[in-house]
Amino acid sequence: KVVGYDGAKALFDDKSAIFVDVYPRAPKPPNLPAGTVWRDPPHESIPGATWLANVGYGVLAPSVETYFTERLAMLSGGDKAKPLVFFCLRDCWMSWNAAKRALTLGYANVIWFPDGVDAWRDNDQPVDKVEPLP
């Protein structure tokens, strides 16, 4: 199922779905000079959403695939009928990939919000700084 802003906002307002942000986490540059302090760039998301970083790539490393599988089970409480809304930024296909991946895991109520955080902001909705779920 695909929703636009209005559909996502309705799901958000009635608290009937789990919102899953799949925006990738910026990697630490490999050749930083010794002593350089690395700070992850801040990421803002829909309030209450869970950030599962790096799970939207087309092909996942086995450890990331396991992370995705285990975190979805945790977030859904094992209920594969629980509505899951996958999003990222507008024109980011990572949310599409993650949604398709959730379907292959047997989740039956998978919702894709293709305009994601961009649409949220465009409609003057608040965003929160988030950290990836460990």
Side-chain angles (χ1 to χ4, degrees):
K1 181 177 176 183
V2 179
V3 295
Y5 167 75
D6 292 336
K9 182 70 164 79
L11 291 165
F12 178 84
D13 287 343
D14 69 14
K15 300 179 183 357
S16 62
I18 297 164
F19 280 69
V20 182
D21 185 339
V22 300
Y23 186 78
R25 186 177 197 177
K28 180 179 179 180
N31 297 320
L32 288 176
T36 302
V37 176
W38 168 255
R39 290 187 180 90
D40 284 322
H43 177 58
E44 294 180 331
S45 190
I46 295 170
T50 299
W51 183 16
L52 297 182
N54 304 328
V55 301
Y57 289 108
V59 176
L60 299 181
S63 61
V64 178
E65 184 118 22
T66 298
Y67 167 82
F68 182 67
T69 301
E70 290 175 353
R71 295 318 179 273
L72 281 189
M74 180 192 72
L75 291 169
S76 68
D79 180 359
K80 292 200 172 184
K82 184 77 176 166
L84 301 169
V85 178
F86 290 91
F87 67 95
C88 186
L89 302 176
R90 185 175 286 126
D91 298 325
C92 171
W93 284 92
M94 290 191 179
S95 54
W96 168 259
N97 292 337
K100 287 188 64 136
R101 190 167 284 119
L103 287 169
T104 66
L105 292 172
Y107 290 89
N109 201 350
V110 175
I111 303 158
W112 181 41
F113 179 27
D115 291 330
V117 175
D118 293 325
W120 204 255
R121 283 188 182 110
D122 290 349
N123 285 278
D124 299 320
Q125 294 301 312
V127 292
D128 287 341
K129 285 186 182 175
V130 294
E131 295 292 327
L133 187 66

